């Protein structure tokens, strides 16, 4: 059997299936079919950047493995990227390399963490990165394949296969791919990239480490405080409280961002409000066995645990009210999605304990 792919070329479907099965049998996939890659096709990717193919982008020392520009390009091709996506893929890897968790073991974590990339600047339009609807879903080749290129690199270069070096207990769907663009055009505020020192004509890739994405249905109010408290309730859910403090990325739809801005709120105003209100009664934490901390890890555990110690709130004037954010900057904010309904998202960002003031890593995208 053959399949006609143009008016002059036919491809043997059995050969296609044989190639796909070969990649699968060698565990070079994420469970979905990949694009077979030849040296000539790989060369098209490498031609889009002025980087040495042997340049190392990211190393996991305890695995004694590194990804180079060539390997990043190879996995981008496997993932179904177009060659012109490679500068974004490289910037994504350079952002991964800035992730400071000890020994980079976060990529093998039992908690199921995954890379989540936010893209700013002109490159969004140049390669059609979706920022305006179904942003966490399907439908855009660049969003789907750029994130997949990183995942395939983690599998093929670092050996992070499920039931092997990837020790995620359950994982989450973003372990396939998670890439969105910021909807800068419909944001009432400076973009994430501008906010953090980049220029308007810079294309920027920012990598987060995430565990989950929770959607907030909020079409009921025009009072900014009520909407902000809806976000606080999700940020402070006890199931999200792993360490003494938590961090979050708010992905606001234009409708919600405009509501805050029309009420005179800046991003800093929203951060400050969430910081001040992100508290729980110690009784709430005790009911789920999270009222104390581990001496060794500062992870939450019951007060009667042999490794327990008091948390920071215990030494304040209000020991029964536990603050769950260490600083307002543990709330980062971008605008993305369509303006057709009040549905925003709280993205659970996995950070150091205590979190850094800025729990992300940004990289300028360059050829």
């Amino acid at each position: 059997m053959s399949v006609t792919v143009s008016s002059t070329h036919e491809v043997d479907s059995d050969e296609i299936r044989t190639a796909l099965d070969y990649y699968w049998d060698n565990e070079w996939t994420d469970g979905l079919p990949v694009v077979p890659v030849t040296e000539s096709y790989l060369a098209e990717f490498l031609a889009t950047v002025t980087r040495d193919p042997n340049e190392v982008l990211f190393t996991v020392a305890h695995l004694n493995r590194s990804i180079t520009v060539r390997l990043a390009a190879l996995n981008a091709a496997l993932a179904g990227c177009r060659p012109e996506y490679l500068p974004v893929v490289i910037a994504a890897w350079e952002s991964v390399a800035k992730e400071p968790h000890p020994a980079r073991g976060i990529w093998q974590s039992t908690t199921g963490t995954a890379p989540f990339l936010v893209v700013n600047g002109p490159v969004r339009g140049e390669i059609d990165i979706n920022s305006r609807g179904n942003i966490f879903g399907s439908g855009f080749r660049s969003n789907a394949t750029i994130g997949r290129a990183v995942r395939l690199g983690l599998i093929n270069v670092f050996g992070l296969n499920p039931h092997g070096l990837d020790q995620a207990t359950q994982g989450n769907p973003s372990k396939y791919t998670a890439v969105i663009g910021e909807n800068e055009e419909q944001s009432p505020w400076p973009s994430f990239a501008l906010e953090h020192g980049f220029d308007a004509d810079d294309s920027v890739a920012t990598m987060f480490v995430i565990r989950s994405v929770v959607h907030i249905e909020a079409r009921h109010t025009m009072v900014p405080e009520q909407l902000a408290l809806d976000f606080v309730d999700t940020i402070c859910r006890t199931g999200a409280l792993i360490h003494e403090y938590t961090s979050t990325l708010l992905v606001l739809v234009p409708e919600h961002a405009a509501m805050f801005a029309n009420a005179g709120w800046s991003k800093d105003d929203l951060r400050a409000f969430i910081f001040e209100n992100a508290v729980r009664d110690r009784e709430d934490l005790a009911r789920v066995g999270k009222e104390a901390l581990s001496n060794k890890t500062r992870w939450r555990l019951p007060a009667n645990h042999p490794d327990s110690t008091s948390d920071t709130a215990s030494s304040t004037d209000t020991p029964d009210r536990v603050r769950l954010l260490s600083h307002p900057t543990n709330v980062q904010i971008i605008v993305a999605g369509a303006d057709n309904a009040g549905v925003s998202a709280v993205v659970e960002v996995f950070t150091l304990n205590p979190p850094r003031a800025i729990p992300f890593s940004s990289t300028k995208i360059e050829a």
Side-chain angles (χ1 to χ4, degrees), residues 82-102:
R82 293 183 183 276
E84 58 266 32
Y85 299 175
L86 183 59
V88 182
V89 173
I90 288 175
W93 279 115
E94 291 177 325
S95 294
V96 168
K98 296 176 182 178
E99 169 49 47
H101 278 80

Side-chain angles (χ1 to χ4, degrees), residues 226-280:
Q226 290 179 343
L227 179 56
L229 287 173
D230 224 2
F231 296 140
V232 168
D233 184 67
T234 299
I235 294 167
C236 294
R237 63 187 178 88
T238 60
L241 305 179
I242 305 172
H243 300 119
E244 179 173 16
Y245 300 109
T246 188
S247 293
T248 193
L249 168 67
L250 288 184
V251 181
L252 301 183
V253 290
E255 180 180 333
H256 284 162
M259 196 187 85
F260 285 118
N262 291 339
W265 289 38
S266 66
K267 285 186 181 181
D268 283 340
D269 292 330
L270 179 54
R271 287 191 188 97
F273 183 91
I274 290 174
F275 173 72
E276 290 300 328
N277 288 277
V279 295
R280 293 292 296 257

Side-chain angles (χ1 to χ4, degrees), residues 77-364:
L78 287 170
C81 290
R82 293 183 183 276
E84 58 266 32
Y85 299 175
L86 183 59
V88 182
V89 173
I90 288 175
W93 279 115
E94 291 177 325
S95 294
V96 168
K98 296 176 182 178
E99 169 49 47
H101 278 80
R104 310 277 169 76
I106 193 65
W107 304 110
Q108 298 174 256
S109 174
T110 56
T111 59
T113 51
F116 175 71
L117 191 70
V118 175
V119 181
N120 283 102
V123 74
R124 296 168 303 129
E126 294 166 4
I127 63 173
D128 199 22
I129 292 177
N130 182 28
S131 65
R132 293 194 57 184
N134 199 36
I135 52 171
F136 296 108
S138 59
F140 285 78
R141 181 173 178 176
S142 52
N143 296 63
T145 60
I146 290 170
R148 191 186 186 205
V150 174
R151 173 54 53 190
L152 287 176
L154 291 171
I155 292 170
N156 295 327
V157 177
F158 298 101
L160 302 190
N161 290 293
H163 303 181
L165 293 181
D166 184 342
Q167 300 179 51
T169 304
Q170 290 191 323
N172 72 81
S174 61
K175 286 173 74 74
Y176 275 103
T177 182
V179 176
I180 67 173
E182 181 166 12
N183 188 347
E184 299 174 14
E185 292 71 21
Q186 291 188 283
S187 174
W189 299 311
S191 73
F192 188 91
L194 285 175
E195 187 182 7
H196 293 100
F198 293 91
D199 296 329
D201 57 353
D202 288 338
S203 292
V204 179
T206 302
M207 185 65 76
F208 295 84
V209 181
I210 70 168
R211 297 181 69 242
S212 67
V213 176
V214 183
H215 286 102
I216 312 301
E217 292 271 354
R219 318 181 196 200
H220 61 290
T221 183
M222 294 299 292
V223 179
E225 290 83 359
Q226 290 179 343
L227 179 56
L229 287 173
D230 224 2
F231 296 140
V232 168
D233 184 67
T234 299
I235 294 167
C236 294
R237 63 187 178 88
T238 60
L241 305 179
I242 305 172
H243 300 119
E244 179 173 16
Y245 300 109
T246 188
S247 293
T248 193
L249 168 67
L250 288 184
V251 181
L252 301 183
V253 290
E255 180 180 333
H256 284 162
M259 196 187 85
F260 285 118
N262 291 339
W265 289 38
S266 66
K267 285 186 181 181
D268 283 340
D269 292 330
L270 179 54
R271 287 191 188 97
F273 183 91
I274 290 174
F275 173 72
E276 290 300 328
N277 288 277
V279 295
R280 293 292 296 257
D281 289 337
R282 192 171 297 281
E283 288 183 358
D284 293 340
L285 300 181
R287 276 194 289 269
V288 295
K290 292 185 175 181
E291 74 273 26
L293 302 176
S294 165
N295 271 300
K296 297 177 181 178
T297 66
R298 306 292 286 183
W299 285 46
R300 291 194 171 274
L301 42 65
N304 61 2
H305 190 283
D307 183 43
S308 71
T309 188
S310 299
D311 60 21
T312 303
S314 298
S315 60
T316 68
D317 294 335
T318 55
D320 293 329
R321 294 286 283 166
V322 182
R323 188 176 294 281
L324 301 179
L325 297 170
S326 65
H327 193 273
T329 55
N330 288 133
V331 181
Q332 292 300 315
I333 302 166
I334 67 169
V335 177
D339 58 358
N340 57 1
V343 183
S344 291
V346 168
V347 180
E348 186 183 354
V349 179
F350 196 87
T351 66
L352 287 174
N353 180 38
R356 290 167 290 163
I358 303 178
F360 61 84
S361 304
S362 296
T363 302
K364 184 176 178 180

